[in-house]
Amino acid sequence: ETVHKYVGKESSGREFNEFSLNEQGKPYNPAIISGALAVVSLIKPEESNEERFAFIRSQWRRLSLGFECVQFDEEAYEMEKAAITRKWTLGYLLL
């Protein structure tokens, strides 16, 4: 219920990386990039970015039954970092 205060529930029929909002100014659902950004902002917002990242990684490890397959991909990070302006802009729109 908390998540859906910020993110819709309906399928959008849009590409996962399309930046779009529904009529209420919310991302259509958590599976598109705008929804994912809104959802991740709800995870331990009172903690530092480093603590939040460590928590998210620990949860992925727990969900993968402790396998060490969950790793940080430096190349993917650099690609995302290069395209971050659009995501920051969307984040500000969601505030």
Side-chain angles (χ1 to χ4, degrees):
E1 208 168 299
T2 299
V3 171
H4 292 298
K5 289 180 186 175
Y6 303 95
V7 181
K9 302 177 186 179
E10 304 301 322
S11 64
S12 64
R14 300 176 188 277
E15 296 291 324
F16 79 94
N17 61 350
E18 182 177 326
F19 294 108
S20 57
L21 304 174
N22 65 19
E23 299 79 33
Q24 291 82 40
K26 299 178 188 176
Y28 285 92
N29 61 60
I32 60 174
I33 193 71
S34 54
L37 289 170
V39 169
V40 79
S41 74
L42 301 173
I43 299 172
K44 297 190 175 282
E46 70 284 351
E47 295 189 13
S48 71
N49 287 341
E50 292 79 15
E51 291 168 322
R52 294 170 76 197
F53 184 67
F55 174 77
I56 292 168
R57 286 186 72 187
S58 74
Q59 295 307 297
W60 276 113
R61 282 215 170 91
R62 186 179 63 80
L63 291 169
S64 66
L65 305 175
F67 291 107
E68 293 296 319
C69 62
V70 179
Q71 298 178 6
F72 181 77
D73 185 328
E74 187 72 33
E75 183 179 346
Y77 167 75
E78 290 299 330
M79 286 175 35
E80 288 297 317
K81 188 172 134 185
I84 198 70
T85 302
R86 289 183 67 208
K87 292 176 184 149
W88 277 110
T89 302
L90 180 61
Y92 283 113
L93 287 172
L94 294 172
L95 292 176

